[in-house]
């Protein structure tokens, strides 16, 4: 075997189906930005459709166009447009192919309207994340302008939405505040004459933990891939992590007591032991913050990483055993066979599981991505 990212499409289908059931009568928008959180955007979107996702959500216009080119002809929302998208015709192509594009400003709204016939436009209001979306002070003007375009049949205003800052902390007061601001923004839009098809506010954590925020659609990224969006808060929904990262052992050998392992000798053997060389490193997505912190599994037994994570390699402690080169090593996976999960790695590295899976996908030049279908294989 070679180092690989194994993606179980049946797990994505199962997770999406589970979420569809959970949030009904709201619909599910499966978010596949950043190459499907590292799982492969087109394949993840296809699996999500198979699980009942009415919508697919992406960040960028090129992502939306790639989905259309791959044959996805369902509802797609894109929320990040750039001046370059206006200039190079990408926005026009998105509009022409019936992608819902999001406007944060009157300027971009007008550019969307100018880019094609009767575009599908969603409006985003910033209720407190201070990232994308119209500032509250600018919201009435954006809603007003959108209503004018709609009345003149120049655009279809299909949705009004916002995004939480603290949905993974269900008791955080920002959730109530943002929700209240969203309600007020909806009232303003209604007074301007807008009647959008869909209102949406919830990401994975809110979709699960804050039912009153589900509205018409929930935008679910992380949970679709089977990972926990709010560790410590989420009930067990039976979601299945879809990504497993594996590599063959390249070498195992004995080291003496007192020997240091890896750069900087940050781990010293206090007894003679054996170590195994795993041929993946931070160049492949293993966080360097995992030095002396993460574990892998060999034959279902956890083995700790010793010393620093290198660019192409990590060293694990085999506790006195030797294993032949080629022995499969599971870096992380669903956790069903003793292996760590992406969440275990996230915790050990002081980050979130979003980053663990996404960075593997993003740096997969040396890792082959292999799709399996647990329902069929
Ligand atoms: C990434 C993203 C989501 C999905 O968030 P999850 O926590 O992964 O469910 C939803 N909405 C927006 C605007 C996003 O950027």
């Amino acid at each position: 075997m070679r180092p690989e990212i194994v993606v179980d499409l049946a797990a994505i289908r199962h997770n999406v189906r589970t979420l569809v059931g959970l949030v009904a009568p709201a619909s599910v928008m499966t978010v596949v930005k950043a190459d499907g959180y590292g799982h492969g955007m087109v394949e993840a979107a296809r699996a999500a459709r198979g699980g009942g996702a009415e919508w697919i959500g992406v960040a960028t216009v090129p992502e939306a166009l790639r989905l259309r080119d791959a044959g996805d002809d369902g509802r797609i929302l894109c929320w990040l447009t750039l001046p370059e998208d206006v200039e190079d015709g990408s926005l026009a192509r998105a509009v022409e192919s019936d992608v819902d594009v999001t406007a944060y400003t009157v300027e971009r709204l007008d550019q969307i309207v100018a880019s094609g016939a009767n575009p599908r436009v969603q409006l985003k209001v910033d209720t407190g994340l201070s990232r994308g979306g119209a500032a509250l002070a600018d919201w009435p003007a954006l809603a007003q302008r959108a209503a004018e375009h709609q009345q003149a049949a120049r655009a279809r205003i299909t949705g009004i939405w916002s995004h939480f800052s603290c949905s993974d902390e269900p008791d955080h007061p920002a959730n109530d505040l943002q929700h209240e601001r969203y309600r007020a923004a909806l009232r303003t839009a209604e007074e301007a004459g807008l009647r959008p098809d869909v209102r949406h506010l919830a990401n994975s954590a809110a979709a699960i933990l804050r039912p009153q925020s589900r509205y018409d659609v929930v935008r679910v990224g992380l949970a679709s891939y089977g990972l926990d969006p709010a560790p410590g808060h989420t009930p067990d929904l039976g979601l299945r992590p879809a990504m497993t990262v594996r590599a063959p052992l390249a070498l195992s050998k004995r080291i003496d007591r007192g020997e240091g392992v890896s750069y900087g000798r940050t781990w010293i053997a206090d007894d003679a032991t054996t170590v195994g060389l795993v041929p993946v490193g931070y160049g492949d997505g293993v966080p360097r913050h995992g030095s002396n912190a993460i574990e892998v599994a060999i034959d279902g037994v956890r083995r700790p990483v010793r010393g620093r994570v290198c660019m192409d390699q990590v060293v694990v402690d085999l506790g006195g055993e030797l294993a032949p080169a080629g022995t499969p090593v599971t870096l992380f996976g669903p956790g069903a066979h003793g292996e760590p999960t992406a969440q275990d790695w996230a915790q050990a590295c002081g980050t979130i599981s979003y980053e663990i899976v996404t960075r593997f996908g993003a740096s997969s030049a040396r890792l082959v991505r292999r799709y399996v279908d647990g329902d069929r294989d």
Side-chain angles (χ1 to χ4, degrees), residues 31 33 37 79 131 161 163 203-204 219-222 354:
V31 179
K33 64 193 182 190
Y37 290 45
W79 47 79
R131 200 176 69 176
W161 64 278
H163 192 44
N203 63 348
S204 292
R219 302 184 307 270
V220 184
L222 194 75
Y354 295 77

Side-chain angles (χ1 to χ4, degrees), residues 1-90:
M1 67 174 297
R2 292 193 178 277
E4 61 178 7
I5 299 170
V6 184
V7 175
D8 184 358
L9 298 171
I12 298 177
R13 265 199 321 274
H14 163 84
N15 298 331
V16 172
R17 205 179 293 125
T18 301
L19 293 157
V20 165
L22 178 74
V23 305
S27 313
V28 165
M29 176 187 299
T30 302
V31 179
V32 299
K33 64 193 182 190
D35 211 5
Y37 290 45
H39 296 68
M41 180 179 72
V42 169
E43 292 81 359
R46 208 171 282 146
R49 295 291 195 198
E54 188 178 335
W55 288 81
I56 296 291
V58 292
T60 69
V61 172
E63 288 175 324
L65 293 176
R66 229 182 96 215
L67 285 173
R68 284 290 188 243
D69 289 344
D72 190 304
D73 56 7
R75 293 266 73 86
I76 295 176
L77 172 68
C78 148
W79 47 79
L80 204 54
T81 61
L82 302 178
E84 188 64 24
D85 297 318
V86 180
E87 287 153 23
D88 74 4
S90 303

Side-chain angles (χ1 to χ4, degrees), residues 286-375:
V286 181
R288 192 164 176 277
H289 280 98
S291 300
N292 287 309
I294 50 177
E295 297 177 323
V296 302
I298 301 176
D299 288 331
V301 180
R302 297 282 186 106
R303 302 295 188 185
V305 164
R306 299 302 195 198
R308 291 201 180 133
V309 172
C310 308
M311 189 182 289
D312 323 291
Q313 311 172 40
V314 296
V315 177
V316 299
D317 195 334
L318 298 179
E321 291 173 29
L322 291 170
T327 300
V329 179
T330 303
L331 283 74
F332 62 83
H337 302 287
E339 74 278 12
T341 60
Q343 175 56 33
D344 292 333
W345 273 38
Q347 197 172 340
C349 298
T351 184
I352 51 178
S353 61
Y354 295 77
E355 190 184 5
I356 300 294
V357 288
T358 303
R359 55 189 288 144
F360 267 95
S363 54
S364 60
R366 286 188 293 194
L367 297 184
V368 282
R369 209 191 265 131
R370 182 161 67 82
Y371 292 95
V372 297
D373 192 322
D375 291 347

Side-chain angles (χ1 to χ4, degrees), residues 170-292:
D171 299 328
H172 198 293
N175 294 314
D176 286 338
L177 175 66
Q178 285 196 254
H179 201 154
E180 187 44 47
R181 287 172 167 178
Y182 181 64
R183 282 191 203 97
L186 287 176
R187 284 194 295 273
T188 302
E190 192 167 323
E191 283 157 20
L194 293 174
R195 302 285 182 275
D197 307 337
V198 291
R199 302 157 298 164
H200 46 106
L201 178 60
N203 63 348
S204 292
I208 296 168
L209 297 170
R210 200 178 171 88
Q212 71 276 28
S213 72
R214 287 173 187 157
Y215 289 91
D216 305 308
V217 182
V218 296
R219 302 184 307 270
V220 184
L222 194 75
S224 317
Y225 305 101
L227 296 169
D228 184 346
H233 300 290
T234 315
D236 183 6
L237 300 172
L239 302 179
R240 286 160 32 196
M243 182 187 290
T244 300
V245 180
R246 304 165 76 231
L249 208 58
L251 169 77
S252 68
K253 65 183 175 188
R254 298 182 188 286
I255 62 167
D256 289 336
R257 171 171 186 217
E259 289 298 333
V261 172
S262 193
Y263 292 127
R265 298 168 56 88
T266 59
W267 190 83
I268 307 284
D270 54 15
D271 273 306
T273 187
T274 53
V275 290
L277 184 62
V278 183
V280 288
Y282 61 78
D284 304 288
V286 181
R288 192 164 176 277
H289 280 98
S291 300
N292 287 309

